Structure formats: structure tokens, C-alpha cells
Amino acid sequence: MGSENQVRRLRIPAPSFDVASVHRPLKALSLTGGGYRGLFTAKVLVELCNRARRPGRLDDTFDVFGGTSIGGVMACALAVGVPPWRVLDAIDANGPLVFVRKRQRTLRRIFFGTLYDADNLAKAVDDCLGRAGRTKLKNIETGIVIPAVDWAKGTVQLFLSGAFGKAHASEVTLRDVCLATAAAPTYFKPHIIDGAAMLDGGLAANNPDTLILLELAKRWPERFARTQMLSIGTAGGDSERAVTQADKTGLAWAAELAIYMIGVQERTAAAQAQRLLGATRYLRINHAPTKGLQAFEELDLATDEARTQLLGAALNAATAAYRSNRAFLDRALAPRPSLRDRSSAAD
């Protein structure tokens, strides 16, 4: 009788989602495209991690990784646990093999269609991704946002990982995504995915900051007010020009129009991202090179001199950025709380 009068303890089912994650910042890493100048990007990230005492993998640090072209290759590798130093080593070792200097480059472009062999690019991607290259994006829980351009439709094709929901996640492998976003016209042949010819995402969004933010706002609207983004350039889009240089002949424009348009898009995306997030939640790290240095003006100059200049510029950029934004970078590079830590906090 007494036992029947006892009040039964109320059992509340555990939530089906991580309640604590709603209240913590949503952290995104955005990496710009730029061919061999990706060496600069990777070196900046390695230096920042060293200063923040985070030398290992970053898939337990950022919620979302996004990138275009070489930035997309790096983003995919980082998202599956490849440490930044390994990404840097892969670019350093494979860059000269991908961008092999050839004689009669103009004639090669006319008669054979591209300057470089896509097979060498594929080998470099395989070296960077390892076995993870065979993984389909839909099976990756870490957020990944990679743009390419669909040649036939003339539109941006976004490749999203399983973190954005199975209905939106891509069926393709990491390897295919990397080859698609890096298929720069005249440099490499288009990469075919499901019968569609894919071109370098840099044609539309060499700096993918705003593309990434849009996907974050759609997927996690309740967390967007706490979104933080670290964006790293490729040392080629921040140089100012003299007013007198705008008056050019057609041939002069032809030589640099594509690079100029890419630079405009990079600066526009960065300015829009900062307006959306504010200076306290967005940081862009890049390098404004001295006019006339080829290492910062070309996408495929993989010489010893270019390597030295890019690595030196990266060291200087990372040092200056960490000195001026240490609190932001320490927070951005700090690991997310583990499930055990979250449970303890909830108790």
C-alpha cells in the first residue's frame, strides 16, 4: 500500500540534439583560391596554430571548413583531420610537380587546350587527402562548403557535406570535389562529375566567405548571431593601383583582366562578410604585396624564388595578425568542448 502511494520519479528523455552547442560560437574557416600561392595560405595557418599552441588537427576546432580551388583542397583535407603542417608539406612538395614549367606555353595552350596535366593535379590531391579522398561528402559530419562552376548551366555548384543535412549533402567524393573546384580554365581541363563539366570555383567566388555564411545562416539560423569566421587569402588580392593605370589598351587589359576581377571579388566578399559579422567576429588575413613581384601576381609560378617570397610573406602576415588579434585567434583555434565536457557543464 505504502509503495503504491510513493511518487514515481519523473524521467525526462535526453534531447535528440546537443543543447550546449546552441549557445557556443559557430566557427568557420574560409580559405581563398590562388593556385601555387596556396603555399602562403597553408603557411599562415601553420604559424597561427603554432602561436596558439594548436599544432595538431583542426576538425575538432572549426565547425565548418570552406574554400575555393587550392583553398578548397586545403579545406577538405583539414575537415577530415589532416593537420595543417601536413597540408603545407603536400603543397610544398607537389606544387612544382603540378605547375611544371614548359617551353612554348602559348603554343601548348592553343594546340592542346591546357597548360598543365590534370593527372599531376590528381596525384597532388591524393597525396593531400590520403584514403579520405574516397569518402563521400554526405558521410562527413564536419561542415564542408566548396564551390565550383557548372560550365553548361553557367552557375555555381556548391558541394556540401552531411553536416548540412542529407537532403542537401553531395553524393560525390572529396577527391572529385577537389578536382572540380581546382579545374581552372586554360590551366587544367574541366572535371566531369555525373556528366557535368565542372570548372574552378574561383570563376565566381575565389573568396568564398559570403557563400559559406549564407549556408550557415540557412542551416543554423539560431546560431548565426554567434558565428565567427577566420578567412585567409593567398597574398594576391589586396594591392592598390595608381589611378593612371586604369587607362589601358585592349592588349594591356587582356593580360591582367582576369586577375583584376578575381581581386575585386575577393575584396567585395571580405567587406560583405565583415559587415555581416562585425569586426569582433570576422578576421581576414592576407598580404598586400609590392607591385611587380611575380610570385604574388601569378597563380602558377612554383619556383624556388617564389617559394621563398610566399613563405616569408606568410610568416610576416601571421606574426602581425597574431600580435594584433591574439584574443580572437586563440578563441578561433581553441578546440570545441568534448561531449564529456558538455555533459559536465550541463550537470
Side-chain angles (χ1 to χ4, degrees):
M1 186 70 176
S3 60
E4 293 179 357
N5 293 332
Q6 291 179 351
V7 179
R8 293 183 178 180
R9 184 177 180 182
L10 181 63
R11 297 179 61 86
I12 302 176
S16 58
F17 61 93
D18 182 8
V19 178
S21 67
V22 176
H23 302 287
R24 66 176 176 81
L26 184 66
K27 298 192 294 185
L29 177 65
S30 176
L31 304 175
T32 300
Y36 183 67
R37 297 203 314 255
L39 186 71
F40 168 90
T41 312
K43 178 64 172 178
V44 167
L45 188 57
V46 167
E47 291 297 329
L48 292 177
C49 289
N50 288 340
R51 284 163 173 74
R53 298 182 180 179
R54 287 284 292 150
R57 54 197 294 171
L58 295 180
D59 56 324
D60 65 345
T61 297
F62 291 97
D63 300 280
V64 176
F65 296 81
T68 301
S69 196
I70 182 60
V73 176
M74 288 187 279
C76 287
L78 294 168
V80 293
V82 180
W85 63 264
R86 177 67 188 92
V87 174
L88 173 62
D89 285 351
I91 296 174
D92 196 15
N94 289 285
L97 303 178
V98 172
F99 298 110
V100 178
R101 305 298 289 184
K102 296 181 179 294
R103 296 179 180 179
Q104 304 297 330
R105 296 176 60 193
T106 302
L107 290 178
R108 176 178 171 80
R109 183 180 301 187
I110 292 174
F111 292 108
F112 299 99
T114 61
L115 286 172
Y116 303 108
D117 190 341
D119 289 340
N120 292 334
L121 175 62
K123 293 175 183 177
V125 169
D126 291 340
D127 183 41
C128 192
L129 294 178
R131 294 181 179 179
R134 298 192 293 267
T135 306
K136 291 186 176 182
L137 257 69
K138 69 175 185 178
N139 297 325
I140 298 175
E141 295 183 358
T142 302
I144 298 176
V145 181
I146 307 294
V149 171
D150 186 316
W151 159 253
K153 296 179 180 178
T155 58
V156 173
Q157 172 67 53
L158 276 185
F159 294 101
L160 305 175
S161 65
F164 292 90
K166 296 299 181 182
H168 305 287
S170 303
E171 289 278 348
V172 299
T173 64
L174 276 180
R175 183 180 192 268
D176 278 327
V177 169
C178 290
L179 292 175
T181 192
T186 75
Y187 291 90
F188 303 105
K189 63 182 181 180
H191 187 66
I192 307 301
I193 294 181
D194 295 331
M198 293 293 164
L199 304 176
D200 195 307
L203 292 173
N206 204 53
N207 176 0
D209 290 355
T210 50
L211 286 181
I212 296 170
L213 291 177
L214 176 60
E215 295 306 314
L216 296 186
K218 288 163 53 181
R219 181 67 177 91
W220 297 285
E222 74 284 355
R223 297 179 63 187
F224 193 73
R226 289 176 293 279
T227 295
Q228 300 174 358
M229 174 175 280
L230 172 60
S231 174
I232 306 177
T234 49
D238 287 350
S239 296
E240 292 189 5
R241 295 167 173 81
V243 174
T244 55
Q245 293 178 333
D247 187 9
K248 296 179 182 292
T249 64
L251 289 177
W253 269 115
E256 64 175 273
L257 183 58
I259 296 298
Y260 180 75
M261 292 173 66
I262 289 174
V264 170
Q265 187 280 325
E266 286 185 26
R267 288 188 290 273
T268 301
Q272 291 174 333
Q274 186 165 31
R275 289 187 64 184
L276 283 170
L277 300 182
T280 60
R281 294 190 289 125
Y282 174 82
L283 178 62
R284 170 80 169 170
I285 300 176
N286 208 359
H287 171 70
T290 303
K291 186 69 175 177
L293 292 179
Q294 286 185 306
F296 303 103
E297 295 180 350
E298 297 188 21
L299 304 176
D300 57 345
L301 187 62
T303 63
D304 289 341
E305 183 180 5
R307 176 183 182 273
T308 299
Q309 292 175 350
L310 289 168
L311 292 177
L315 179 59
N316 292 336
T319 301
Y322 194 75
R323 183 186 302 119
S324 302
N325 305 276
R326 180 171 182 172
F328 177 96
L329 290 167
D330 282 344
R331 290 195 305 269
L333 295 169
R336 298 190 303 270
S338 65
L339 291 176
R340 178 175 299 178
D341 293 338
R342 296 173 197 168
S343 299
S344 300
D347 296 339

